[in-house]
Amino acid sequence: MGYTSFQFRKLPPARLEHRDGLRHPVLFGKVTVRRHAQRPLSALLVDLSVYGCRILHAGRVKAGDRVWLRLAGSETIGATVVWSEGDRLGCKFDNNLDRSLFRALTLQTG
């Protein structure tokens, strides 16, 4: 399988009005964040969409970093950090989140 150059391009920070999907508050906030060749960090999942999430963390993670997330015992999920401000960061998943996992983790309203 060949790779094309656009698969690894840097992503600009996501503005709230430009997000692909509505973010939902989460029921289960614990998440593990790991960067390549780094120790896993415990963090708090703030909100979630099938395309990405917002996390509170205490590590040194910056925009453009590749991370691997584990949400509530899920399989490892690859993502790119699209913005980082202090102890908050926003991630875009490599692949859309499985809808059943999304429903299990979020507070659905309406």
Side-chain angles (χ1 to χ4, degrees), residues 46-67:
V46 176
D47 61 30
L48 182 71
S49 79
V50 294
Y51 307 105
C53 63
R54 184 168 42 135
I55 296 171
L56 291 176
H57 67 97
R60 292 188 175 129
V61 182
K62 61 187 182 311
D65 282 353
R66 292 278 304 134
V67 293

Side-chain angles (χ1 to χ4, degrees), residues 12-75:
R15 293 192 174 176
L16 190 58
E17 65 275 8
H18 292 147
R19 290 184 176 156
D20 288 335
L22 180 64
R23 295 283 175 98
H24 294 270
V26 295
L27 289 168
F28 185 83
K30 185 178 176 186
V31 62
T32 302
V33 178
R34 185 177 61 81
R35 291 186 305 158
H36 180 71
Q38 300 289 321
R39 259 184 167 180
L41 302 168
S42 291
L44 192 64
L45 185 63
V46 176
D47 61 30
L48 182 71
S49 79
V50 294
Y51 307 105
C53 63
R54 184 168 42 135
I55 296 171
L56 291 176
H57 67 97
R60 292 188 175 129
V61 182
K62 61 187 182 311
D65 282 353
R66 292 278 304 134
V67 293
W68 290 264
L69 309 172
R70 190 171 301 265
L71 310 171
S74 70
E75 295 294 319

Side-chain angles (χ1 to χ4, degrees), residues 42-108:
S42 291
L44 192 64
L45 185 63
V46 176
D47 61 30
L48 182 71
S49 79
V50 294
Y51 307 105
C53 63
R54 184 168 42 135
I55 296 171
L56 291 176
H57 67 97
R60 292 188 175 129
V61 182
K62 61 187 182 311
D65 282 353
R66 292 278 304 134
V67 293
W68 290 264
L69 309 172
R70 190 171 301 265
L71 310 171
S74 70
E75 295 294 319
T76 302
I77 300 166
T80 300
V81 177
V82 292
W83 61 268
S84 179
E85 295 175 358
D87 62 351
R88 299 166 195 256
L89 58 94
C91 295
K92 179 172 177 31
F93 301 136
D94 293 347
N95 299 301
N96 292 353
L97 196 62
D98 179 78
R99 298 236 182 231
S100 62
L101 177 59
F102 174 75
R103 283 190 298 271
L105 292 170
T106 59
L107 292 166
Q108 297 291 315

